[in-house]
Amino acid sequence: MKMRQRWLSIIAGLVVVLLLAFGLLLYGHNQIADDSYDVSVAKPFNTQSHPTVCIDEAHHNFATAEGRYRPFARFLTNDGYRVVSTTTEFTMRSLAKCRVLVIANALGATLPVFPSASKSPFDSSEISDVLDWVRNGGSLLLVADHHPAGGASAALARAFGVDMSGGRTYDDPHSDWSSGSPSWLIFGRDTGAKILDHWVTLGRDSSEMVRRIETFTGQSLKGPPGSVGFLQLAASAVDRLPSGATRSATGRAQGVSLAFGGGRVVVLGEAAMISAQVTGVNRRRKFGMNWPNNDNRQLVLNIAHWLSSDVGRPLIQS
């Protein structure tokens, strides 16, 4: 019996080591920030005041200000924002310094290959405080893409009435065929996968209108009544759920905006669309704002402007 238990312990240890090795391989080689991407802003939005954008790093986030979201953070800095990292749990006190809170691919474990990675890293008090903070005028950008990130952020999203599929969304007829992936989706003004009118897609004038957005393997979302699913999935889109089941994603979206009390919320079902990254062992394959022929760059600015200022008011109170 003791020998059997010893062997089981050895096998369990080997499994953990292999998972760690595989996770570290993915962490180091699968995707990193593209520091060659031009993050300059010709006409910064914030020239007088400099709203604080807090990027969460306290919940095993796969995307951080000095990691995969470095281009995003530097882009907003050049638009006149003060971008800081937050490494403590969410409380009303810790959130008081933030004008906009960004939570990108929070996880329930250090590495996404761990089974617990899809569990919520937010305790009930944190969710309650974020909810109250937004209701009292704060702005939240919640980003969570395919499994396990969708499952990890599902409870927080649900508090705002947003349903996350937690799986992966595919739509071959509306995918970027040049990428070879049916989960790299293209949204346009006159296509089945539609960009709907909202301040974040229209901007202040025609020069800021978003006409083509590409996402890079994400999940689907469903917002509450009164919200706008501004990246509306086509009727041909399907979700592959973590269970292995497949279901239609008709009526769902990969970008949702809503007013919540005195605050604002944008939820994105794919993380790379608002950063610039490279992937592969040779790190040559670009994806995100740096991928050609998209308006993702303008979408980032429009989302930041809508969340951080009074543009687009009056708000609808929830």
Side-chain angles (χ1 to χ4, degrees):
M1 179 65 71
K2 290 183 179 179
M3 182 64 70
R4 182 172 180 271
Q5 289 177 339
R6 184 178 299 173
W7 275 109
L8 287 174
S9 297
I10 292 172
I11 292 171
L14 287 173
V15 169
V16 170
V17 170
L18 288 172
L19 283 173
L20 277 171
F22 182 62
L24 289 171
L25 179 66
L26 288 177
Y27 189 88
H29 295 288
N30 194 40
Q31 55 192 90
I32 62 171
D34 181 3
D35 289 326
S36 69
Y37 180 69
D38 180 10
V39 292
S40 62
V41 178
K43 297 179 179 180
F45 184 76
N46 301 289
T47 57
Q48 303 298 321
S49 63
H50 302 282
T52 299
V53 175
C54 297
I55 298 181
D56 175 40
E57 296 187 7
H59 300 91
H60 305 303
N61 303 77
F62 197 66
T64 60
E66 283 302 317
R68 295 174 180 85
Y69 263 30
R70 187 161 57 243
F72 169 81
R74 292 180 177 177
F75 192 38
L76 291 191
T77 298
N78 290 335
D79 198 36
Y81 292 93
R82 177 175 176 265
V83 179
V84 301
S85 298
T86 60
T87 57
T88 59
E89 68 177 17
F90 300 140
T91 65
M92 292 297 285
R93 183 175 181 179
S94 70
L95 293 169
K97 65 181 179 182
C98 308
R99 182 66 191 90
V100 178
L101 173 64
V102 179
I103 305 172
N105 277 356
L107 296 171
T110 307
L111 295 175
V113 293
F114 288 167
S116 59
S118 62
K119 294 184 178 179
S120 175
F122 314 106
D123 63 35
S124 59
S125 64
E126 286 186 290
I127 293 176
S128 177
D129 280 357
V130 171
L131 202 69
D132 287 343
W133 175 75
V134 174
R135 185 181 286 115
N136 291 331
S139 288
L140 171 67
L141 173 56
L142 176 60
V143 186
D145 55 26
H146 59 77
H147 179 79
S153 287
L156 178 57
R158 195 179 307 118
F160 291 97
V162 177
D163 175 71
M164 292 185 166
S165 73
R168 295 173 184 247
T169 303
Y170 296 86
D171 185 3
D172 191 63
H174 300 94
S175 66
D176 184 346
W177 293 352
S178 69
S179 74
S181 173
S183 61
W184 284 30
L185 307 184
I186 296 174
F187 296 82
R189 290 280 171 182
D190 301 313
T191 62
K194 291 184 178 179
I195 297 173
L196 300 187
D197 285 347
H198 182 272
W199 204 95
V200 301
T201 62
L202 294 172
R204 291 169 291 180
D205 54 44
S206 60
S207 70
E208 295 183 351
M209 179 181 286
V210 170
R211 294 176 172 82
R212 180 184 169 96
I213 292 295
E214 184 154 352
T215 64
F216 305 86
T217 308
Q219 63 164 327
S220 74
L221 312 167
K222 180 69 174 178
S227 65
V228 178
F230 58 86
L231 296 180
Q232 184 183 74
L233 290 161
S236 50
V238 296
D239 286 325
R240 290 183 189 169
L241 305 178
S243 65
T246 300
R247 73 178 185 191
S248 172
T250 301
R252 299 176 70 85
Q254 287 197 319
V256 172
S257 60
L258 61 138
F260 190 85
R264 293 174 167 180
V265 178
V266 170
V267 184
L268 299 179
E270 198 279 310
M273 73 168 97
I274 60 171
S275 189
Q277 301 177 55
V278 288
T279 188
V281 175
N282 294 322
R283 295 170 180 170
R284 293 179 179 177
R285 184 174 174 84
K286 298 180 178 182
F287 65 111
M289 294 188 291
N290 54 348
W291 184 255
N293 195 25
N294 66 59
D295 294 328
N296 291 34
R297 179 186 179 96
Q298 187 61 54
L299 180 65
V300 172
L301 295 178
N302 288 357
I303 288 174
H305 300 168
W306 187 70
L307 289 175
S308 67
S309 71
D310 287 334
V311 294
R313 296 210 184 250
L315 291 175
I316 299 173
Q317 301 297 307
S318 64

